[in-house]
Structure formats: C-alpha cells, structure tokens
Amino acid sequence: MSFVADRNAKTSSGIVGVDVHDGRPVWGFRAESDASTDRTMVTAVAGSVVLATVSAPYGPDWPGRATTIAIDARTGRELWRGAGVIGLAGDGESVVVAKKTDGGWRPEVRDARNGTPRWTGKHSIDGPYQHVATVADHTVLSTKDRRVTDIVHLSTGDRLDFEADAPPGLVGSEPPMLVWDSGVAWWAKGPNGFVTQTLPDGSPTKGKSRPKGLEFHATYGAGPYIWGTYKTTQESTEHDDLAGTVAVDRTGQPRSASQAGVVLADVSEKWLVVGKNGYVEVQRIKPS
C-alpha cells in the first residue's frame, strides 16, 4: 500500500520536547492553533533555545510567509518570534538567522533568548540556506557571490579578520581552531598545506604539506586533533584507492593510522564513527 501526501491538506502543527534519556514527552508547543497548510520545522538549536520556523512545506513556495519562533528547550515557552526570518544555526546562547529584506536575504547573529541582533551582515546571502559552519562560539558566512566571507564571534558580534583564498571551514578542537584549505591549483601538481588559526585572536599557522599529492579536508575537531578526509590529486584510475580518513594535529602531522577507503561520519574524543564497505563501524580512539 502506498500513500501520497496532499500538499494542500490543512492541519495544526507544532513541536514536542522529549527527555533525551527515555524519549518521554515533557512539553508540547503548538505553533499554529488553526488549521493551515503551513508546517513547523526545527531549523536551529542553541544551548537552551530551539528555533522553529513556520512556513510552506519544502518546495517551490518555500520559505513563503516564514516566521521563526524561539522556544525555551527546557519548558516549551515561547521566547520571541520574527516574521521573514529563518534559523540557520546556533551555538551557546547565540543563533544565526537569515532575515528577508527588500535587498534579499541577509545574515544576522542574535541573542538566542531575546532575539536582539548582535551583528547584521551588509551583504546578501543566497537564500535562507547558505551557511558554512558554526562552532566554538564562531560562525562563518559566505555571501551570495562567494566573494566575501564573514567570520563572526557569536557571543559579542565582533568580526574576525583573516586572509585566505577560499571560504574557511570551521573546526572546533582543543583549543578551538579555525581551519581552511584552498585546495590544489592544478590536478596532479602536488600537495598543498592547510592553515589553522586559534580562536579568537590567534595568528594563522600554516599546516604541513600532505605527502604523495593528497589533499586534506578538515571535517571535525576532537580534543587536540583535527579529523578529516583525504583524496588523491592524481585524477586516474590507478590512484582511485587513495582516499580515506586520518587525524592530524594543527601542524598537519598525522596522528592516526591512515584508513584507506573509510568514510568519516562523526567523531568525539573517545569514539570514531565511519562508513566501511557499506556498513557503519564504531571505533574506540586511543590517544597517540
């Protein structure tokens, strides 16, 4: 038996808070008390605040008539709401949102609990879904034409100046670090290093070049290490197996065995989750 969803069906909608230990519902929030075709979606979480967006379902009309509601994650109480706002991300007690203006969508950093803007971007972004990363009390936002990248300190709204050829990837490790990698200039030309910058005010440090023409893409930070994926810059079937997962320190020195053919899924200081041969595998991390 198959079912087809009716996009025009009307119903009320909201979200439910559950206890993470046993899944028991602890509160409910009805975003729409009257029947409507709009839907409620959780778009960001920051500390004790959940951002729920009420809008048309995903499709050609999304995000029409969008309204974002900030809800206390502990009690389910509404804290504030904003029309023409979409939640993008959150960290600590700050949230990143996209606000619709006459000049297009613009990013804002707001206080999560009262909605007060801490920083408002001067450049438009490509819709309410373009966002690079948020971690370690910082967010990276790229403009619509990708020519301007803003790095914002979430708790203060201050911008962080940097120099890079490409938008940075934000990786939180110990200490929190900003990581970016401009990749290779030519296929098979050779390895490039990556750059790290200790947040919030540290100076950039050039990472160690990767050997054998491999390029490294930082994905996660855990403890003092940066975990990521690597692949060959040699575009040929002879080197198709040169791809996998490895951990490095901030200088680029490898700190784990290179796992060829392994896809990085998630990592903590004690556990590594990878995809391997079509299966998910959990590994225990032993400090080097």
Side-chain angles (χ1 to χ4, degrees):
M1 181 180 294
S2 62
F3 297 90
V4 178
D6 183 359
R7 290 178 56 86
N8 297 316
K10 293 185 177 182
T11 184
S12 60
S13 66
I15 60 175
V16 175
V18 300
D19 189 307
V20 296
H21 297 97
D22 57 18
R24 180 177 59 86
V26 292
W27 55 259
F29 180 86
R30 179 172 289 182
E32 293 184 285
S33 56
D34 298 327
S36 171
T37 57
D38 288 350
R39 296 293 180 266
T40 304
M41 299 169 286
V42 173
T43 54
V45 178
S48 60
V49 178
V50 175
L51 291 190
T53 296
V54 182
S55 176
Y58 284 119
D61 298 328
W62 193 85
R65 307 180 306 280
T67 295
T68 283
I69 306 170
I71 302 166
D72 189 307
R74 295 178 292 250
T75 65
R77 178 176 62 89
E78 179 177 332
L79 300 173
W80 56 270
R81 66 172 59 200
V85 173
I86 301 287
L88 299 180
D91 188 73
E93 293 301 322
S94 299
V95 291
V96 184
V97 302
K99 181 176 177 59
K100 194 171 187 178
T101 68
D102 293 340
W105 292 91
R106 296 185 185 277
E108 284 188 348
V109 173
R110 295 187 175 191
D111 184 287
R113 297 199 66 83
N114 60 36
T116 301
R118 290 177 172 160
W119 172 87
T120 300
K122 297 179 180 179
H123 309 284
S124 64
I125 57 177
D126 191 12
Y129 36 77
Q130 182 169 354
H131 176 249
V132 179
T134 296
V135 72
D137 198 28
H138 285 74
T139 189
V140 176
L141 296 154
S142 182
T143 57
K144 187 173 183 179
D145 58 9
R146 298 186 180 274
R147 294 182 180 179
V148 179
T149 298
D150 289 310
I151 304 174
V152 184
H153 193 185
L154 289 171
S155 58
T156 65
D158 295 334
R159 290 181 67 253
L160 179 69
D161 294 326
F162 72 103
E163 294 181 2
D165 297 328
L170 199 56
V171 176
S173 60
E174 185 60 43
M177 283 186 271
L178 175 75
V179 179
W180 66 86
D181 188 335
S182 56
V184 291
W186 308 93
W187 282 111
K189 183 179 180 181
N192 276 5
F194 62 92
V195 177
T196 65
Q197 181 168 339
T198 303
L199 299 173
D201 301 316
S203 58
T205 300
K206 192 72 174 179
K208 194 172 183 178
S209 296
R210 280 91 64 193
K212 301 179 181 179
L214 300 179
E215 57 177 327
F216 176 80
H217 297 272
T219 307
Y220 299 105
Y225 306 131
I226 303 169
W227 289 83
T229 58
Y230 65 88
K231 65 179 181 179
T232 179
T233 59
Q234 310 286 333
E235 196 175 38
S236 68
T237 55
E238 181 183 355
H239 299 90
D240 280 349
D241 60 331
L242 292 179
T245 293
V246 69
V248 301
D249 61 24
R250 66 171 303 156
T251 69
Q253 181 67 31
R255 292 297 180 182
S256 75
S258 176
Q259 300 192 64
V262 169
V263 180
L264 179 62
D266 201 359
V267 67
S268 68
E269 291 195 44
K270 294 183 178 181
W271 301 100
L272 174 69
V273 183
V274 297
K276 186 176 182 181
N277 297 326
Y279 296 90
V280 174
E281 183 175 280
V282 179
Q283 303 177 11
R284 181 67 183 264
I285 296 175
K286 297 181 180 179
S288 62

